[in-house]
Short mmCIF file of all heavy atoms in Angstrom, two decimals:
data_model
loop_
_atom_site.label_atom_id
_atom_site.label_comp_id
_atom_site.label_asym_id
_atom_site.label_seq_id
_atom_site.Cartn_x
_atom_site.Cartn_y
_atom_site.Cartn_z
N GLY A 78 143.11 53.91 26.62
CA GLY A 78 142.02 53.77 27.57
C GLY A 78 141.96 52.38 28.16
O GLY A 78 142.87 51.57 27.97
N PRO A 79 140.87 52.06 28.86
CA PRO A 79 140.78 50.76 29.50
C PRO A 79 140.67 49.62 28.48
O PRO A 79 140.17 49.80 27.38
CB PRO A 79 139.51 50.87 30.34
CG PRO A 79 138.69 51.91 29.65
CD PRO A 79 139.69 52.90 29.10
N VAL A 80 141.16 48.45 28.87
CA VAL A 80 141.02 47.24 28.07
C VAL A 80 139.72 46.55 28.46
O VAL A 80 139.48 46.28 29.63
CB VAL A 80 142.22 46.30 28.28
CG1 VAL A 80 141.96 44.95 27.61
CG2 VAL A 80 143.49 46.93 27.76
N HIS A 81 138.88 46.29 27.47
CA HIS A 81 137.62 45.59 27.71
C HIS A 81 137.86 44.09 27.57
O HIS A 81 138.35 43.62 26.54
CB HIS A 81 136.56 46.05 26.71
CG HIS A 81 136.15 47.48 26.89
ND1 HIS A 81 135.04 47.84 27.61
CD2 HIS A 81 136.72 48.63 26.46
CE1 HIS A 81 134.93 49.16 27.61
NE2 HIS A 81 135.93 49.67 26.92
N VAL A 82 137.52 43.34 28.61
CA VAL A 82 137.71 41.89 28.62
C VAL A 82 136.36 41.23 28.36
O VAL A 82 135.43 41.35 29.17
CB VAL A 82 138.29 41.41 29.96
CG1 VAL A 82 138.41 39.89 29.98
CG2 VAL A 82 139.66 42.05 30.20
N LEU A 83 136.23 40.56 27.21
CA LEU A 83 135.01 39.86 26.83
C LEU A 83 135.16 38.40 27.24
O LEU A 83 135.94 37.66 26.65
CB LEU A 83 134.77 39.97 25.33
CG LEU A 83 134.40 41.31 24.71
CD1 LEU A 83 133.19 41.91 25.37
CD2 LEU A 83 135.55 42.28 24.69
N PHE A 84 134.41 37.98 28.26
CA PHE A 84 134.61 36.66 28.86
C PHE A 84 133.45 35.74 28.48
O PHE A 84 132.28 36.01 28.80
CB PHE A 84 134.70 36.79 30.38
CG PHE A 84 135.05 35.51 31.08
CD1 PHE A 84 136.37 35.12 31.22
CD2 PHE A 84 134.06 34.70 31.60
CE1 PHE A 84 136.70 33.93 31.88
CE2 PHE A 84 134.37 33.51 32.25
CZ PHE A 84 135.70 33.13 32.39
N CYS A 85 133.79 34.63 27.82
CA CYS A 85 132.79 33.69 27.31
C CYS A 85 133.12 32.28 27.79
O CYS A 85 134.25 31.80 27.62
CB CYS A 85 132.79 33.74 25.79
SG CYS A 85 131.63 32.62 24.97
N PHE A 86 132.15 31.62 28.40
CA PHE A 86 132.33 30.26 28.92
C PHE A 86 131.48 29.32 28.08
O PHE A 86 130.25 29.35 28.12
CB PHE A 86 131.88 30.22 30.39
CG PHE A 86 132.52 29.12 31.21
CD1 PHE A 86 132.67 29.28 32.57
CD2 PHE A 86 132.95 27.93 30.64
CE1 PHE A 86 133.25 28.29 33.37
CE2 PHE A 86 133.53 26.94 31.40
CZ PHE A 86 133.68 27.11 32.78
N VAL A 87 132.14 28.46 27.28
CA VAL A 87 131.41 27.53 26.43
C VAL A 87 131.49 26.12 27.04
O VAL A 87 132.50 25.74 27.61
CB VAL A 87 131.91 27.54 24.98
CG1 VAL A 87 131.88 28.95 24.41
CG2 VAL A 87 133.30 26.95 24.85
N ASP A 88 130.41 25.37 26.88
CA ASP A 88 130.26 24.10 27.57
C ASP A 88 129.86 23.00 26.60
O ASP A 88 128.84 23.10 25.92
CB ASP A 88 129.18 24.26 28.66
CG ASP A 88 129.12 23.08 29.62
OD1 ASP A 88 129.66 22.00 29.29
OD2 ASP A 88 128.52 23.24 30.70
N HIS A 89 130.69 21.94 26.53
CA HIS A 89 130.31 20.71 25.82
C HIS A 89 129.32 20.00 26.75
O HIS A 89 129.70 19.10 27.50
CB HIS A 89 131.52 19.83 25.57
CG HIS A 89 132.66 20.50 24.85
ND1 HIS A 89 133.44 19.83 23.93
CD2 HIS A 89 133.17 21.76 24.90
CE1 HIS A 89 134.38 20.65 23.45
NE2 HIS A 89 134.23 21.82 24.04
N PHE A 90 128.07 20.39 26.70
CA PHE A 90 127.08 19.99 27.71
C PHE A 90 126.42 18.68 27.31
O PHE A 90 125.57 18.63 26.42
CB PHE A 90 126.03 21.10 27.84
CG PHE A 90 125.15 20.99 29.05
CD1 PHE A 90 125.62 21.35 30.30
CD2 PHE A 90 123.85 20.53 28.94
CE1 PHE A 90 124.81 21.25 31.43
CE2 PHE A 90 123.03 20.44 30.06
CZ PHE A 90 123.51 20.79 31.30
N GLU A 91 126.80 17.58 27.97
CA GLU A 91 126.45 16.23 27.54
C GLU A 91 125.76 15.46 28.67
O GLU A 91 126.40 14.70 29.40
CB GLU A 91 127.72 15.49 27.09
CG GLU A 91 128.49 16.22 25.99
CD GLU A 91 129.88 15.66 25.76
OE1 GLU A 91 130.21 14.62 26.38
OE2 GLU A 91 130.63 16.25 24.98
N PRO A 92 124.45 15.59 28.82
CA PRO A 92 123.74 14.89 29.90
C PRO A 92 123.85 13.37 29.83
O PRO A 92 123.74 12.68 30.85
CB PRO A 92 122.28 15.33 29.72
CG PRO A 92 122.37 16.63 28.99
CD PRO A 92 123.55 16.50 28.08
N MET A 93 124.08 12.82 28.64
CA MET A 93 124.15 11.37 28.47
C MET A 93 125.58 10.83 28.59
O MET A 93 125.84 9.68 28.22
CB MET A 93 123.56 10.96 27.12
CG MET A 93 122.10 11.29 26.96
SD MET A 93 121.44 10.71 25.38
CE MET A 93 119.80 11.43 25.41
N TRP A 94 126.49 11.63 29.11
CA TRP A 94 127.89 11.23 29.23
C TRP A 94 128.03 9.83 29.82
O TRP A 94 127.40 9.48 30.82
CB TRP A 94 128.63 12.25 30.10
CG TRP A 94 130.08 11.96 30.32
CD1 TRP A 94 131.06 11.87 29.39
CD2 TRP A 94 130.71 11.73 31.59
NE1 TRP A 94 132.27 11.60 29.98
CE2 TRP A 94 132.10 11.51 31.34
CE3 TRP A 94 130.27 11.71 32.92
CZ2 TRP A 94 133.01 11.26 32.36
CZ3 TRP A 94 131.17 11.47 33.93
CH2 TRP A 94 132.54 11.24 33.65
N LYS A 95 128.84 9.00 29.18
CA LYS A 95 129.11 7.61 29.58
C LYS A 95 127.85 6.75 29.61
O LYS A 95 127.75 5.80 30.40
CB LYS A 95 129.82 7.56 30.93
CG LYS A 95 131.30 7.92 30.84
CD LYS A 95 132.04 7.54 32.12
CE LYS A 95 133.54 7.72 31.95
NZ LYS A 95 134.30 7.34 33.16
N GLY A 96 126.90 7.06 28.75
CA GLY A 96 125.70 6.23 28.64
C GLY A 96 124.86 6.17 29.89
O GLY A 96 124.32 5.12 30.25
N ALA A 97 124.73 7.29 30.57
CA ALA A 97 124.00 7.35 31.84
C ALA A 97 122.53 6.96 31.67
O ALA A 97 121.95 7.12 30.59
CB ALA A 97 124.10 8.75 32.43
N ASP A 98 121.93 6.47 32.76
CA ASP A 98 120.49 6.20 32.73
C ASP A 98 119.74 7.52 32.86
O ASP A 98 120.30 8.58 33.17
CB ASP A 98 120.09 5.22 33.82
CG ASP A 98 120.44 5.69 35.23
OD1 ASP A 98 120.37 6.91 35.51
OD2 ASP A 98 120.80 4.84 36.06
N LEU A 99 118.43 7.47 32.63
CA LEU A 99 117.63 8.68 32.59
C LEU A 99 117.64 9.44 33.91
O LEU A 99 117.69 10.69 33.93
CB LEU A 99 116.19 8.35 32.18
CG LEU A 99 115.24 9.54 32.03
CD1 LEU A 99 115.79 10.56 31.05
CD2 LEU A 99 113.86 9.05 31.58
N ASP A 100 117.61 8.74 35.02
CA ASP A 100 117.63 9.42 36.31
C ASP A 100 118.93 10.21 36.51
O ASP A 100 118.92 11.33 37.05
CB ASP A 100 117.47 8.41 37.45
CG ASP A 100 116.05 7.88 37.56
OD1 ASP A 100 115.13 8.51 37.01
OD2 ASP A 100 115.86 6.82 38.21
N THR A 101 120.04 9.63 36.06
CA THR A 101 121.32 10.33 36.18
C THR A 101 121.36 11.55 35.26
O THR A 101 121.83 12.62 35.65
CB THR A 101 122.49 9.38 35.83
OG1 THR A 101 122.48 8.27 36.72
CG2 THR A 101 123.82 10.10 35.94
N GLU A 102 120.84 11.38 34.05
CA GLU A 102 120.75 12.54 33.14
C GLU A 102 119.97 13.67 33.80
O GLU A 102 120.40 14.83 33.78
CB GLU A 102 120.04 12.13 31.85
CG GLU A 102 120.79 11.15 30.96
CD GLU A 102 119.94 10.75 29.77
OE1 GLU A 102 119.05 11.54 29.38
OE2 GLU A 102 120.13 9.64 29.25
N ARG A 103 118.81 13.32 34.36
CA ARG A 103 117.97 14.35 34.97
C ARG A 103 118.67 15.01 36.15
O ARG A 103 118.58 16.24 36.32
CB ARG A 103 116.66 13.72 35.44
CG ARG A 103 115.71 13.38 34.30
CD ARG A 103 114.53 12.56 34.78
NE ARG A 103 113.53 12.38 33.73
CZ ARG A 103 112.61 11.44 33.73
NH1 ARG A 103 112.55 10.55 34.75
NH2 ARG A 103 111.73 11.34 32.75
N ALA A 104 119.37 14.23 36.93
CA ALA A 104 120.08 14.79 38.09
C ALA A 104 121.15 15.78 37.63
O ALA A 104 121.35 16.83 38.26
CB ALA A 104 120.70 13.67 38.92
N ARG A 105 121.84 15.46 36.56
CA ARG A 105 122.87 16.37 36.04
C ARG A 105 122.27 17.69 35.59
O ARG A 105 122.76 18.77 35.94
CB ARG A 105 123.60 15.70 34.88
CG ARG A 105 124.47 14.53 35.27
CD ARG A 105 124.93 13.72 34.07
NE ARG A 105 125.89 12.68 34.45
CZ ARG A 105 126.33 11.72 33.65
NH1 ARG A 105 125.87 11.66 32.39
NH2 ARG A 105 127.20 10.83 34.06
N VAL A 106 121.20 17.61 34.80
CA VAL A 106 120.57 18.83 34.28
C VAL A 106 119.96 19.63 35.42
O VAL A 106 120.10 20.87 35.48
CB VAL A 106 119.52 18.48 33.22
CG1 VAL A 106 118.76 19.72 32.78
CG2 VAL A 106 120.18 17.80 32.02
N ASP A 107 119.29 18.95 36.34
CA ASP A 107 118.64 19.66 37.45
C ASP A 107 119.66 20.37 38.33
O ASP A 107 119.42 21.49 38.81
CB ASP A 107 117.83 18.68 38.30
CG ASP A 107 116.57 18.19 37.58
OD1 ASP A 107 116.20 18.81 36.56
OD2 ASP A 107 115.97 17.19 38.03
N ARG A 108 120.81 19.73 38.55
CA ARG A 108 121.83 20.40 39.37
C ARG A 108 122.31 21.67 38.69
O ARG A 108 122.50 22.70 39.34
CB ARG A 108 123.00 19.46 39.67
CG ARG A 108 124.03 20.17 40.55
CD ARG A 108 125.15 19.31 41.02
NE ARG A 108 126.07 20.12 41.83
CZ ARG A 108 127.24 19.71 42.28
NH1 ARG A 108 127.65 18.47 42.00
NH2 ARG A 108 128.00 20.51 42.99
N TRP A 109 122.53 21.61 37.39
CA TRP A 109 122.98 22.81 36.68
C TRP A 109 121.92 23.91 36.76
O TRP A 109 122.25 25.07 37.02
CB TRP A 109 123.28 22.47 35.21
CG TRP A 109 124.74 22.24 35.02
CD1 TRP A 109 125.41 21.06 35.07
CD2 TRP A 109 125.73 23.25 34.78
NE1 TRP A 109 126.76 21.26 34.88
CE2 TRP A 109 126.98 22.60 34.70
CE3 TRP A 109 125.68 24.62 34.63
CZ2 TRP A 109 128.17 23.29 34.47
CZ3 TRP A 109 126.86 25.32 34.40
CH2 TRP A 109 128.08 24.66 34.32
N CYS A 110 120.68 23.54 36.53
CA CYS A 110 119.62 24.56 36.53
C CYS A 110 119.43 25.17 37.91
O CYS A 110 119.04 26.33 38.03
CB CYS A 110 118.32 23.95 36.03
SG CYS A 110 118.36 23.52 34.26
N ARG A 111 119.72 24.42 38.95
CA ARG A 111 119.61 24.94 40.32
C ARG A 111 120.87 25.70 40.74
O ARG A 111 120.81 26.88 41.12
CB ARG A 111 119.36 23.78 41.29
CG ARG A 111 119.25 24.20 42.75
CD ARG A 111 119.20 22.99 43.67
NE ARG A 111 120.46 22.26 43.70
CZ ARG A 111 120.61 21.00 43.27
NH1 ARG A 111 119.58 20.34 42.75
NH2 ARG A 111 121.80 20.41 43.34
N ASP A 112 122.01 25.04 40.62
CA ASP A 112 123.24 25.61 41.19
C ASP A 112 123.83 26.72 40.33
O ASP A 112 124.44 27.66 40.86
CB ASP A 112 124.28 24.51 41.41
CG ASP A 112 123.88 23.54 42.51
OD1 ASP A 112 122.80 23.74 43.12
OD2 ASP A 112 124.63 22.58 42.77
N TYR A 113 123.66 26.62 39.01
CA TYR A 113 124.23 27.69 38.20
C TYR A 113 123.44 28.98 38.36
O TYR A 113 124.03 30.08 38.38
CB TYR A 113 124.30 27.30 36.72
CG TYR A 113 125.07 28.35 35.94
CD1 TYR A 113 126.45 28.46 36.07
CD2 TYR A 113 124.41 29.27 35.13
CE1 TYR A 113 127.16 29.45 35.41
CE2 TYR A 113 125.11 30.26 34.45
CZ TYR A 113 126.49 30.34 34.60
OH TYR A 113 127.18 31.33 33.95
N ARG A 114 122.14 28.88 38.47
CA ARG A 114 121.35 30.09 38.75
C ARG A 114 121.86 30.78 40.01
O ARG A 114 122.00 32.01 40.04
CB ARG A 114 119.88 29.72 38.95
CG ARG A 114 119.10 29.38 37.70
CD ARG A 114 117.70 28.91 38.09
NE ARG A 114 116.94 28.41 36.97
CZ ARG A 114 116.11 29.13 36.23
NH1 ARG A 114 115.97 30.42 36.50
NH2 ARG A 114 115.43 28.58 35.25
N ALA A 115 122.11 29.98 41.05
CA ALA A 115 122.57 30.56 42.32
C ALA A 115 123.94 31.18 42.18
O ALA A 115 124.18 32.32 42.63
CB ALA A 115 122.57 29.48 43.41
N LEU A 116 124.87 30.46 41.53
CA LEU A 116 126.23 30.98 41.38
C LEU A 116 126.24 32.25 40.52
O LEU A 116 126.79 33.29 40.93
CB LEU A 116 127.12 29.91 40.75
CG LEU A 116 128.61 30.25 40.59
CD1 LEU A 116 129.44 28.97 40.66
CD2 LEU A 116 128.90 30.96 39.27
N ALA A 117 125.65 32.17 39.33
CA ALA A 117 125.67 33.33 38.43
C ALA A 117 124.91 34.51 39.01
O ALA A 117 125.26 35.67 38.77
CB ALA A 117 125.09 32.93 37.07
N GLY A 118 123.88 34.22 39.80
CA GLY A 118 123.08 35.29 40.39
C GLY A 118 123.85 36.14 41.38
O GLY A 118 123.43 37.27 41.70
N ARG A 119 124.99 35.65 41.85
CA ARG A 119 125.79 36.40 42.82
C ARG A 119 126.85 37.29 42.15
O ARG A 119 127.60 37.97 42.84
CB ARG A 119 126.48 35.43 43.78
CG ARG A 119 125.53 34.73 44.74
CD ARG A 119 126.28 33.96 45.81
NE ARG A 119 126.91 32.75 45.29
CZ ARG A 119 126.31 31.55 45.25
NH1 ARG A 119 125.06 31.42 45.67
NH2 ARG A 119 126.96 30.49 44.79
N HIS A 120 126.90 37.29 40.82
CA HIS A 120 127.96 38.01 40.12
C HIS A 120 127.40 38.92 39.04
O HIS A 120 126.37 38.63 38.43
CB HIS A 120 128.96 37.01 39.54
CG HIS A 120 129.68 36.22 40.58
ND1 HIS A 120 130.79 36.68 41.23
CD2 HIS A 120 129.40 34.99 41.12
CE1 HIS A 120 131.18 35.79 42.12
NE2 HIS A 120 130.36 34.75 42.07
N ARG A 121 128.12 40.02 38.79
CA ARG A 121 127.73 40.97 37.76
C ARG A 121 128.98 41.54 37.09
O ARG A 121 130.01 41.72 37.74
CB ARG A 121 126.90 42.12 38.35
CG ARG A 121 125.51 41.72 38.84
CD ARG A 121 124.62 41.28 37.70
NE ARG A 121 123.25 40.99 38.13
CZ ARG A 121 122.84 39.81 38.58
NH1 ARG A 121 123.72 38.80 38.69
NH2 ARG A 121 121.58 39.62 38.92
#
Side-chain angles (χ1 to χ4, degrees):
V80 171
H81 293 264
V82 177
L83 291 306
F84 186 85
C85 179
F86 205 152
V87 306
D88 191 343
H89 305 216
F90 194 77
E91 304 167 6
M93 297 183 187
W94 179 61
K95 283 193 172 181
D98 58 35
L99 182 56
D100 287 342
T101 300
E102 293 175 26
R103 287 171 173 160
R105 291 168 174 171
V106 174
D107 289 346
R108 181 174 179 188
W109 263 92
C110 291
R111 179 188 69 244
D112 292 359
Y113 188 72
R114 285 175 187 267
L116 184 151
R119 290 189 287 270
H120 296 276
R121 291 294 184 272

